[in-house]
């Protein structure tokens, strides 16, 4: 448990826009151990995807820029790497699956070409060898008759099948880490379940670590060991999944979980929604970013931005409010 | 792919029939007398000449009958010989060109093809290249310079730019003359020692091993080529640039980079084929436009191609020539569109496999 595979420290990413600089990620830190699955949860625009794209150097610059922080992969800082070095980390060490399997595939290239491409780049295989491995990989992710489908184009696959192909593409070079950026958001519920099951079985088989980004809390429960909740470009709570569901600490997490229906709910309980909208951060917040929408707000919340503090074994939360107060109000 | 092409080909007869009907309808706007008078040079002296021609060619027959004759030809009641017939390549007599319209077009076409190829190929290649360059350096200095370059090209009228280069490079510097060949070269080309394979002088000169004639033909081409290329570069550059910028914003560009590909491959393999889809239409249609002759450019540079023929014919009210030319141009356009459609299918599987 001691060695850390990926360690992100105080990552900050900004986007320069005509309206001003948007601070999308404001000092995110997280760690990933070998074989571990980490779930990252948060509303749209809270910086989940930007964090992941930042560590792989995939933020389009301009307008985006990583302004501070480190991303240590096996002790090496990904953010300091030259273009040629980081290229060999992408896909080869850290594979990425994206949200919408249609728009993230190139429409004019065949599936065989797109899935086998990383092998030719990172493993220096010939096209034919690469295609053979591609067939195996497609079979592994559950594409029927993979050999015949190599020459098909993305639009000839169904949504679920496309996402399977995308997973095959991300895993083709057997990376150590799989980053899944809302891979099930664009799929319907039954297909979602299939994809989650597929990723679980692949994890058991290939043993990679997974960072699973989602805004679907129910999905994380059965999949991840640990989860981090993000808000306004910060990690505001981080805990093992069981702790998080059993004893959420941050008012935002409470709100998120309160907005979910539960099987053990008292009948007639109203689902709670969080009032207001997530902030657009034109300057780096000096107060708690959630303060405006928080029901437990105290004076200190408007003055200082809390950092993550350990509240329990492995359970960290960024909030000024006394845990007792929060629990009473729950 | 094959079924796609066949489907496109099946549309062809329908389109072509419509084109001929349209052109025939335009011709029918003239009364029988007006049409007959096109063939009689001294109407006041010969009474009854017009009526004779109307009778002879059936110019007062019902429109569908005339259309049929116009299309397939008409058997002369006296000699039993079939005359006319667009389908048989007979487009009528051209007053301007002093010959059959088809024959005149055949005579003028090589010059136009020569100009179109010399201008078209570098135009498309460089235009697309500049557009890509501009897009991948979006908002940097090179992009700004290219945008100025293209806006200037886009907004200068052909005749202004043409006259300007003529003024500088012919009148002032005397480097590149207008026309198609110098007198001495024209004499050699028309002599028996020179075989005309294609009637494109640059090609023929090379085939005959006459570098001096090649050079002469080439320097005559420079100014019209520059004029056409610059004005069309501007357009192609803009189309390529905006299409490329759009593609570079697509999600699958992130995927390509996330796979660890070199930026060069990302652009060449993942962006360019997608970005070229709209460019193909514009590029091919521009090329077809060049093949149909470029009226103003050919007139400015006194270049004896289809365009200058058309303007001569139009100015002397030579209706038959103009309509014959229109028919020819529409055929080229239809064929060109078919070519673009096929090319489209070749580039974009979503169209091919729909």
């Amino acid at each position: 448990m001691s060695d850390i595979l990926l360690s992100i420290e105080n990552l900050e990413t900004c986007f320069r826009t005509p309206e001003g600089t948007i601070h999308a990620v404001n000092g995110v830190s997280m760690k990933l151990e070998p074989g571990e699955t980490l779930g990252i949860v948060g509303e749209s625009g809270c910086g989940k995807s930007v964090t992941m794209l930042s560590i792989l150097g995939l933020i389009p610059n301009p307008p985006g820029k990583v302004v501070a922080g480190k991303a240590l992969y096996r002790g090496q800082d990904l953010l300091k790497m030259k273009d040629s070095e980081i290229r060999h980390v992408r896909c080869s060490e850290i594979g990425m699956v994206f949200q919408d399997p249609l728009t993230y595939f190139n429409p004019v290239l065949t599936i065989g070409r797109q899935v086998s491409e990383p092998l030719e780049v990172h493993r220096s295989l010939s096209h034919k060898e690469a295609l053979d491995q591609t067939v195996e990989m497609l079979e592994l992710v559950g594409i029927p008759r993979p050999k015949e489908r190599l020459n098909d184009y993305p639009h000839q696959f169904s949504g679920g099948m496309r996402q399977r192909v995308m997973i095959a593409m991300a895993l083709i070079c057997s990376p150590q880490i799989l980053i899944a950026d809302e891979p099930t958001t664009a799929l319907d519920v039954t297909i979602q379940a299939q994809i989650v099951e597929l990723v679980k079985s692949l994890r058991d088989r290939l043993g990679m670590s997974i960072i699973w980004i989602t805004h679907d809390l129910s999905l994380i429960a059965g999949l991840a060991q640990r989860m981090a909740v993000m808000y306004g470009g910060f990690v505001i709570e981080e805990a093992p999944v069981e702790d998080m569901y059993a004893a959420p600490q941050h008012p935002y997490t409470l709100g998120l979980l309160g907005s979910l229906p539960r099987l053990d709910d008292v009948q007639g309980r109203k689902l709670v929604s969080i009032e207001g909208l997530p902030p657009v951060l034109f300057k780096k917040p000096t107060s708690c970013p959630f303060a405006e929408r928080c029901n437990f707000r105290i004076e200190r919340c408007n003055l200082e931005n809390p950092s993550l503090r350990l509240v329990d074994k492995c359970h960290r939360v960024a909030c000024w409010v006394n845990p007792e107060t929060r629990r009473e109000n729950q | 792919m094959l079924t796609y092409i066949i489907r496109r080909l099946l549309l062809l007869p329908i389109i072509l029939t419509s084109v001929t009907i349209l052109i025939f309808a335009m011709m029918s706007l003239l009364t029988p007398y007006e049409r007959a008078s096109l063939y009689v040079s001294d109407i006041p002296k010969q009474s009854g000449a017009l009526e004779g021609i109307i009778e002879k060619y059936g110019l007062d027959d019902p429109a569908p009958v005339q259309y049929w004759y116009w299309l397939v030809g008409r058997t002369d009641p006296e000699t039993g010989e079939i005359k006319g017939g667009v389908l048989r390549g007979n487009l009528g007599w051209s007053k301007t060109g002093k010959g059959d319209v088809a024959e005149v077009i055949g005579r003028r076409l090589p010059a136009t093809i020569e100009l179109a190829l010399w201008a078209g190929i570098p135009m498309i290649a460089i235009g697309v290249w500049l557009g890509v360059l501009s897009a991948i350096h979006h908002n940097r200095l090179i992009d700004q310079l290219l945008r100025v370059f293209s806006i200037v090209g886009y907004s200068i009228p052909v005749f202004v730019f043409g006259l300007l280069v003529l003024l500088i490079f012919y009148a002032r510097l005397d480097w590149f003359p207008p026309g198609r060949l110098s007198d001495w070269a024209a004499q050699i080309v028309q002599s028996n020692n020179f075989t005309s394979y294609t009637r494109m002088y640059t090609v023929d000169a090379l085939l005959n091993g006459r570098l001096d004639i090649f050079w002469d033909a080439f320097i005559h081409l420079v100014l019209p080529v520059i004029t056409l290329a610059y004005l069309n570069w501007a357009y192609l550059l803009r189309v390529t640039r905006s299409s490329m910028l759009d593609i570079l914003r697509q999600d699958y560009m992130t995927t390509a980079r996330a796979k660890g590909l070199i930026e060069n491959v990302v652009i060449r393999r993942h962006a360019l084929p997608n970005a070229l889809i709209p460019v193909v239409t514009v590029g091919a249609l521009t090329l077809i436009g060049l093949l149909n002759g470029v009226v103003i450019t050919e007139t400015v540079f006194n270049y004896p191609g289809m365009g200058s023929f058309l303007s001569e014919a139009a100015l002397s009210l030579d209706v038959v020539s103009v309509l014959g030319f229109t028919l020819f141009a529409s055929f080229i356009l239809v064929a060109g569109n078919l070519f673009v459609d096929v090319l489209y299918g070749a580039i974009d599987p979503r169209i091919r496999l729909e």
Side-chain angles (χ1 to χ4, degrees), chain A residues 3 93 245 324:
Chain A
D3 57 337
E93 304 289 332
Y245 282 88
E324 301 304 322

Side-chain angles (χ1 to χ4, degrees), chain A residues 90 103-104 106 114 117 122, chain B residues 251 255 259 269-270 274:
Chain A
R90 295 179 192 156
T103 62
Y104 279 93
N106 193 328
Q114 297 191 57
E117 216 171 13
H122 299 297
Chain B
D251 291 338
T255 315
K259 285 199 263 187
R269 192 185 292 161
H270 287 264
N274 284 292

Side-chain angles (χ1 to χ4, degrees), chain A residues 13-26 45 50 63-65 279-284:
Chain A
T13 303
C14 295
F15 288 91
R16 265 181 304 175
T17 67
E19 289 81 39
T21 306
I22 294 176
H23 297 259
V25 178
N26 299 304
V50 175
K65 195 169 190 325
V280 178
L281 301 167
F282 279 113
K283 57 178 194 282
K284 211 176 149 184

Side-chain angles (χ1 to χ4, degrees), chain A residues 53 58 62 87 90-91 96 98 103-109 113-114 117-118 121-122 153 155-156 166 169, chain B residues 140 251-252 254-255 257-263 265 269-271 273-274 277 347-350 352-353:
Chain A
L53 290 172
L58 291 173
R87 256 203 331 267
R90 295 179 192 156
C91 206
M96 203 155 172
F98 296 97
T103 62
Y104 279 93
F105 271 118
N106 193 328
V108 305
L109 298 178
R113 183 101 199 78
Q114 297 191 57
E117 216 171 13
V121 180
H122 299 297
Y153 290 89
H155 71 276
Q156 293 168 294
M166 174 88 81
M169 188 160 79
Chain B
R140 304 219 191 110
D251 291 338
Y252 51 81
T254 310
T255 315
R257 295 199 178 96
K259 285 199 263 187
L261 302 179
I262 316 169
E263 193 58 22
V265 177
R269 192 185 292 161
H270 287 264
N274 284 292
I277 294 171
I347 299 182
D348 192 342
R350 285 166 299 182
R352 191 191 327 150
L353 303 166

